[in-house]
Amino acid sequence: ADKVLTRGIFMGLCGGGAWHGQIRSTGIRSMAGREAFMRRVEAAAIAPFMHIGDEEPYWNDKGLMDHLSRMSRFWTALKPYHAAVADEYRAMGLPPLRHLALHYADEPLLAGGAERYLYGRDLLAAPIVKLGSDLQDILLPDDRWVHLWSSREFRGGDITIEAALGSPALFYRADSAWAGLFDSLRRAFTRFEDPLR
């Protein structure tokens, strides 16, 4: 997952446009492979496109299907934001997935913390790439950030946040014009429970 994210972020930094990673279901018979698939689905839900390759049958696993359904509904609920980000790309050439340096050039954001990227200007995602933990260490840029799942506000800096399956580490700018939409997602999506965990 970390190589896919790195490639996507690089494309965003250099203006590669509407990048998306294909979600592959390889290795889902093991618990680690299953979790990796779910984490890839979460990363894809915070991007312009979701596309799944079906190397192994994921549709027989109720937990995987419930998680995929949740993240697909989440992606669909972001439709107005997807459209705005696409309009921004067409009008100004700003890629949908962006390296943080595009908007926070004066900050030391390349050192430490998790893989991070901006989706548009207002969403900051830090998908888990190291499996087996629901906690994520993140270095947030100096801004007012709201954790989407808890409504806790942060001013930037190093934080540790819960990122349980179905609730990836995701933040929005507090002064975003889309704050109402983002907050409605928190209210609409209850906690995900995986039957195998």
Side-chain angles (χ1 to χ4, degrees), residues 1-17 19-21 43 46 95-102 109-110 114-119 125-127 129:
D2 56 343
K3 289 180 183 175
V4 172
L5 284 173
T6 301
R7 289 182 191 127
I9 291 168
F10 175 77
M11 290 182 76
L13 181 61
C14 67
W19 169 87
H20 75 284
I46 310 161
L97 299 185
R98 305 171 189 172
H99 191 282
L100 275 68
L102 196 59
L109 295 169
L110 297 178
E115 297 277 357
R116 305 168 301 272
Y117 64 92
L118 292 170
Y119 176 37
V129 294

Side-chain angles (χ1 to χ4, degrees), residues 162-186:
E162 182 182 14
L165 283 170
S167 303
L170 185 59
F171 302 82
Y172 62 87
R173 287 190 319 114
D175 59 354
S176 168
W178 298 97
L181 171 67
F182 301 144
D183 190 56
S184 73
L185 296 174
R186 176 188 55 79

